[in-house]
Amino acid sequence: MFDSAVAWLTAQGRTGQWGEHPFTGNERRTRQVTGWLELGGMHIAEHDGRPAGCIVLGAAPDYVTPATEPELYIQALVTDHRHAGHGIGRALLDWALAQASRRGVALVRVDCYAGGDGRLVAYYESCGFTRTAPFTVGEWPGMLLHRRL
């Protein structure tokens, strides 16, 4: 899924988010995805019986301001571009919000790439998230967003 997303973004000339090389074969990315899986935070959505999207829940990264209350943090969200237009990303976000509600947590946060055309930040806003604060990691511009239940 990550490779499909990178290929699609690269074809659009949008390489700032994840670069232009597939995750497959990249040792750092392999460790990252393997870690998400091993820690139990990765959840896969299917469409027509095939993996179509992935959401990862876990601890907030150290590059964002810590929450002052219990939270559910979305570490990653990706959809396989072959399943675009089927609402997979929104369904995964809705699932995460339901998880927060079941856990009695009122705050859900996510960070994302905020460079380029800003479409990713706008996507999260269209899903009910509100901008919290911009940040940078090296030269990579990001935006922290939140949603309250």
Side-chain angles (χ1 to χ4, degrees), residues 83-146:
H83 298 276
H86 294 283
I88 305 297
R90 286 180 191 270
L92 285 165
L93 290 172
D94 287 345
W95 178 84
L97 294 166
Q99 290 297 309
S101 179
R102 278 192 272 278
R103 297 175 189 185
V105 176
L107 177 64
V108 177
R109 296 195 308 162
V110 64
D111 68 81
C112 70
Y113 177 66
D117 57 13
R119 286 174 57 185
L120 191 53
V121 173
Y123 171 77
Y124 282 109
E125 289 175 322
S126 77
C127 293
F129 286 81
T130 302
R131 294 175 194 220
T132 304
F135 63 90
T136 57
V137 176
E139 294 182 20
W140 192 87
M143 179 61 67
L144 178 64
L145 300 102
H146 74 277

